[in-house]
Every structure is written in structure tokens, then in C-alpha cells.
Amino acid sequence: MNAIGAAGEAISKLTAGFKDLVVAGKDSYNYVAATRERDRLLDLSRRTTNLIVTQNIQVVESLDQYLAERHPTKDDWEKVIRNIEATLVSVRELVADVQAENGSFVLEPAFLTLNQTFSSRASLLSQLAAMPTPNSREELSLLQQASAKYKLLIANAREAVMQLNAYIKSAK
């Protein structure tokens, strides 16, 4: 009888041990998954912030300089295009990363804002990169409007990255 009782107790302890192992494994997995999501979001925040800073020089300033020229040349426009294309590569990478996000961040308003902002920016930059050298008054007016829209997208990205950073800090 003692042997049967001891065997039953051993099986109960073994079952409890497996249960504890499963719970600990699940907790460990959740911790690792949360850490990975946090690392991805921190990287997204860093890259977005860097893009906001560098694009002011690469895109906005080169557009503003082009628009300020009395008689802009094809070479002046080609410089703008080079800056646009360099920025477009980074923006497309960010669009892909935001759209591939599958963590709880997708439930946040900042996810939608980042997705829309980067997608709009990629579209606008693609259109600008495809433009022939703008010289006429109408073309320059359209370019000025595009520059204003781009500046608005920068402001949207700043707001979205602030929301993203607040989400990251709250998820500690």
C-alpha cells in the first residue's frame, strides 16, 4: 500500500513539475517575445528619427534651394533627385518594416500614423523623382505644393515617433 501511495505521490509531483515547466517556459517565451518586439520598435524609432533629421537636409533643403534659384538648371534638379532617391530607399525600408509589424503595436494609433505617413512619403518621393526638370511657373508652383506636403508629412512622422516612444516606454 505504501508503495502505491508513494508511486501516486511521485506521479503527482512529476505532473506538477511538468506544469511548472510549461508555465515557466511560457513566461520565458513571453519575455523573449516582448524583448524582441521592444527591440524592433526601438530600431524603428531610431531609424524614423534619423530619417526626420537627415531628410530635412537631403530633401527639404534641396527642394527649398531649387525653388529659391532664379534660374534653376538641370544640374540643380539632378542634385534634388539624388537626395530624393537616397531618402526614398530609407522610406521604402521603413514602410516594409512597419507593414511587417505583427506585435501588439499594430493596435496603437501610432502604427496607423506611421504606416500612412511612410506610404504617403514614398508615393510623393516617387512622383518627385519621376518629374522632369521643373522650370515653368506652373511646374514650380506644383513643386512648392509638394514641398509643403512633404513638410507636413515630416510633422506627422515626428508626432507618430513621439507616440511610438510613449508606447515603448509604457510597455516596459
Side-chain angles (χ1 to χ4, degrees):
M1 240 350 180
N2 286 343
I4 294 175
E9 188 176 325
I11 290 173
S12 293
K13 287 181 180 178
L14 184 60
T15 303
F18 280 128
K19 180 183 171 196
D20 290 345
L21 185 61
V22 168
V23 169
K26 182 181 173 203
D27 290 345
S28 294
Y29 176 78
N30 288 342
Y31 175 78
V32 169
T35 300
R36 284 184 184 152
E37 180 181 25
R38 179 178 165 76
D39 290 347
R40 274 194 324 271
L41 295 177
L42 283 170
D43 181 60
L44 182 62
S45 175
R46 179 190 55 78
R47 290 170 42 221
T48 301
T49 301
N50 287 341
L51 182 66
I52 290 168
V53 172
T54 60
Q55 75 190 4
N56 284 333
I57 296 166
Q58 291 183 330
V59 175
V60 174
E61 285 186 13
S62 63
L63 280 173
D64 288 349
Q65 288 171 357
Y66 185 86
L67 289 166
E69 290 286 331
R70 286 194 121 187
H71 302 288
T73 65
K74 185 176 181 172
D75 288 340
D76 293 331
W77 182 243
E78 287 175 4
K79 179 183 174 192
V80 173
I81 295 298
R82 282 191 302 274
N83 289 329
I84 287 171
E85 289 174 343
T87 301
L88 185 55
V89 170
S90 297
V91 171
R92 285 182 175 152
E93 289 172 357
L94 285 166
V95 167
D97 289 348
V98 168
Q99 291 178 350
E101 184 58 43
N102 61 5
S104 60
F105 177 61
V106 300
L107 303 173
E108 296 297 312
F111 172 78
L112 178 60
T113 304
L114 281 173
N115 202 351
Q116 288 175 331
T117 299
F118 289 142
S119 296
S120 296
R121 184 172 298 151
S123 176
L124 181 57
L125 289 171
S126 294
Q127 290 171 13
L128 288 171
M131 274 181 74
T133 306
N135 287 316
S136 73
R137 182 173 285 153
E138 295 83 20
E139 292 169 334
L140 293 172
S141 176
L142 287 174
L143 187 59
Q144 209 161 23
Q145 290 172 23
S147 177
K149 286 180 184 176
Y150 196 77
K151 290 172 184 171
L152 180 60
L153 291 172
I154 292 171
N156 290 350
R158 280 190 179 112
E159 178 61 32
V161 83
M162 286 172 35
Q163 291 174 9
L164 170 60
N165 291 342
Y167 171 78
I168 293 169
K169 289 176 183 176
S170 72
K172 281 185 178 181

Short mmCIF file of all heavy atoms in Angstrom, two decimals, residues 126-149:
data_model
loop_
_atom_site.label_atom_id
_atom_site.label_comp_id
_atom_site.label_asym_id
_atom_site.label_seq_id
_atom_site.Cartn_x
_atom_site.Cartn_y
_atom_site.Cartn_z
N SER A 126 8.45 59.25 -54.89
CA SER A 126 8.48 58.56 -56.19
C SER A 126 8.00 59.48 -57.29
O SER A 126 8.58 59.52 -58.38
CB SER A 126 7.61 57.30 -56.15
OG SER A 126 8.15 56.36 -55.27
N GLN A 127 6.93 60.23 -57.01
CA GLN A 127 6.41 61.17 -58.01
C GLN A 127 7.43 62.28 -58.30
O GLN A 127 7.64 62.65 -59.46
CB GLN A 127 5.10 61.78 -57.53
CG GLN A 127 3.95 60.80 -57.50
CD GLN A 127 2.71 61.39 -56.83
OE1 GLN A 127 2.62 62.59 -56.57
NE2 GLN A 127 1.75 60.53 -56.53
N LEU A 128 8.06 62.79 -57.23
CA LEU A 128 9.06 63.84 -57.43
C LEU A 128 10.26 63.32 -58.22
O LEU A 128 10.79 64.00 -59.10
CB LEU A 128 9.51 64.40 -56.08
CG LEU A 128 8.51 65.28 -55.35
CD1 LEU A 128 9.00 65.59 -53.94
CD2 LEU A 128 8.26 66.58 -56.12
N ALA A 129 10.70 62.11 -57.90
CA ALA A 129 11.86 61.54 -58.58
C ALA A 129 11.60 61.31 -60.07
O ALA A 129 12.53 61.34 -60.87
CB ALA A 129 12.25 60.22 -57.91
N ALA A 130 10.34 61.12 -60.43
CA ALA A 130 9.99 60.86 -61.83
C ALA A 130 9.74 62.16 -62.62
O ALA A 130 9.59 62.11 -63.84
CB ALA A 130 8.75 59.97 -61.89
N MET A 131 9.71 63.28 -61.93
CA MET A 131 9.43 64.56 -62.60
C MET A 131 10.59 64.98 -63.48
O MET A 131 11.75 64.90 -63.08
CB MET A 131 9.22 65.68 -61.57
CG MET A 131 7.85 65.83 -61.02
SD MET A 131 7.76 67.22 -59.84
CE MET A 131 7.83 68.62 -60.93
N PRO A 132 10.27 65.48 -64.66
CA PRO A 132 11.33 66.13 -65.44
C PRO A 132 11.69 67.46 -64.76
O PRO A 132 10.96 67.93 -63.88
CB PRO A 132 10.69 66.35 -66.80
CG PRO A 132 9.22 66.32 -66.57
CD PRO A 132 9.00 65.47 -65.34
N THR A 133 12.76 68.04 -65.16
CA THR A 133 13.22 69.29 -64.55
C THR A 133 12.11 70.34 -64.59
O THR A 133 11.67 70.74 -65.66
CB THR A 133 14.46 69.83 -65.29
OG1 THR A 133 15.45 68.81 -65.33
CG2 THR A 133 15.02 71.06 -64.61
N PRO A 134 11.63 70.78 -63.43
CA PRO A 134 10.57 71.78 -63.41
C PRO A 134 11.14 73.18 -63.65
O PRO A 134 12.07 73.60 -62.95
CB PRO A 134 9.97 71.66 -62.01
CG PRO A 134 11.02 71.01 -61.18
CD PRO A 134 11.93 70.27 -62.09
N ASN A 135 10.58 73.86 -64.64
CA ASN A 135 11.05 75.21 -64.95
C ASN A 135 9.91 76.21 -65.09
O ASN A 135 10.09 77.38 -64.76
CB ASN A 135 11.87 75.21 -66.25
CG ASN A 135 13.24 74.60 -66.05
OD1 ASN A 135 13.91 74.88 -65.07
ND2 ASN A 135 13.64 73.74 -66.96
N SER A 136 8.78 75.76 -65.60
CA SER A 136 7.68 76.70 -65.83
C SER A 136 7.10 77.15 -64.48
O SER A 136 7.30 76.50 -63.46
CB SER A 136 6.59 76.06 -66.69
OG SER A 136 5.88 75.10 -65.94
N ARG A 137 6.37 78.24 -64.54
CA ARG A 137 5.75 78.77 -63.33
C ARG A 137 4.80 77.74 -62.72
O ARG A 137 4.77 77.56 -61.51
CB ARG A 137 4.99 80.06 -63.68
CG ARG A 137 4.35 80.71 -62.47
CD ARG A 137 3.76 82.05 -62.80
NE ARG A 137 4.86 82.98 -62.94
CZ ARG A 137 4.84 84.09 -63.68
NH1 ARG A 137 3.77 84.39 -64.36
NH2 ARG A 137 5.87 84.88 -63.74
N GLU A 138 4.04 77.03 -63.56
CA GLU A 138 3.11 76.01 -63.08
C GLU A 138 3.85 74.85 -62.43
O GLU A 138 3.44 74.35 -61.37
CB GLU A 138 2.24 75.49 -64.24
CG GLU A 138 1.30 76.53 -64.83
CD GLU A 138 2.01 77.42 -65.87
OE1 GLU A 138 3.07 77.03 -66.43
OE2 GLU A 138 1.49 78.53 -66.12
N GLU A 139 4.93 74.40 -63.07
CA GLU A 139 5.71 73.29 -62.52
C GLU A 139 6.34 73.67 -61.19
O GLU A 139 6.35 72.88 -60.24
CB GLU A 139 6.80 72.86 -63.51
CG GLU A 139 6.27 72.22 -64.77
CD GLU A 139 7.34 72.05 -65.83
OE1 GLU A 139 8.32 72.84 -65.84
OE2 GLU A 139 7.18 71.15 -66.67
N LEU A 140 6.86 74.89 -61.11
CA LEU A 140 7.46 75.34 -59.86
C LEU A 140 6.41 75.50 -58.77
O LEU A 140 6.68 75.21 -57.59
CB LEU A 140 8.23 76.65 -60.09
CG LEU A 140 9.48 76.52 -60.97
CD1 LEU A 140 10.06 77.90 -61.29
CD2 LEU A 140 10.52 75.65 -60.29
N SER A 141 5.20 75.91 -59.14
CA SER A 141 4.11 76.01 -58.18
C SER A 141 3.74 74.62 -57.64
O SER A 141 3.53 74.45 -56.44
CB SER A 141 2.90 76.68 -58.83
OG SER A 141 1.82 76.70 -57.94
N LEU A 142 3.68 73.64 -58.53
CA LEU A 142 3.40 72.26 -58.10
C LEU A 142 4.50 71.74 -57.19
O LEU A 142 4.23 71.05 -56.21
CB LEU A 142 3.23 71.35 -59.32
CG LEU A 142 1.95 71.52 -60.12
CD1 LEU A 142 1.99 70.66 -61.39
CD2 LEU A 142 0.75 71.15 -59.27
N LEU A 143 5.73 72.08 -57.52
CA LEU A 143 6.86 71.66 -56.70
C LEU A 143 6.79 72.30 -55.31
O LEU A 143 7.06 71.65 -54.31
CB LEU A 143 8.18 72.01 -57.39
CG LEU A 143 9.45 71.49 -56.74
CD1 LEU A 143 9.43 69.96 -56.64
CD2 LEU A 143 10.67 71.95 -57.53
N GLN A 144 6.38 73.55 -55.27
CA GLN A 144 6.22 74.23 -53.98
C GLN A 144 5.12 73.56 -53.15
O GLN A 144 5.27 73.38 -51.94
CB GLN A 144 5.88 75.70 -54.22
CG GLN A 144 6.35 76.63 -53.15
CD GLN A 144 6.39 78.06 -53.66
OE1 GLN A 144 5.72 78.43 -54.61
NE2 GLN A 144 7.19 78.88 -52.99
N GLN A 145 4.04 73.17 -53.79
CA GLN A 145 2.96 72.46 -53.10
C GLN A 145 3.45 71.10 -52.58
O GLN A 145 3.11 70.71 -51.46
CB GLN A 145 1.76 72.26 -54.03
CG GLN A 145 1.03 73.54 -54.36
CD GLN A 145 -0.04 73.32 -55.43
OE1 GLN A 145 -0.52 72.22 -55.63
NE2 GLN A 145 -0.39 74.39 -56.13
N ALA A 146 4.24 70.41 -53.41
CA ALA A 146 4.78 69.11 -52.99
C ALA A 146 5.71 69.28 -51.80
O ALA A 146 5.69 68.48 -50.87
CB ALA A 146 5.51 68.45 -54.16
N SER A 147 6.50 70.34 -51.81
CA SER A 147 7.40 70.61 -50.69
C SER A 147 6.60 70.87 -49.41
O SER A 147 6.96 70.37 -48.34
CB SER A 147 8.28 71.82 -51.01
OG SER A 147 9.12 72.14 -49.92
N ALA A 148 5.51 71.61 -49.52
CA ALA A 148 4.66 71.88 -48.34
C ALA A 148 4.03 70.59 -47.82
O ALA A 148 3.99 70.36 -46.61
CB ALA A 148 3.58 72.90 -48.70
N LYS A 149 3.58 69.73 -48.73
CA LYS A 149 3.01 68.44 -48.32
C LYS A 149 4.07 67.58 -47.63
O LYS A 149 3.79 66.90 -46.65
CB LYS A 149 2.45 67.68 -49.52
CG LYS A 149 1.16 68.24 -50.05
CD LYS A 149 0.67 67.43 -51.25
CE LYS A 149 -0.58 68.06 -51.83
NZ LYS A 149 -1.03 67.36 -53.04
#
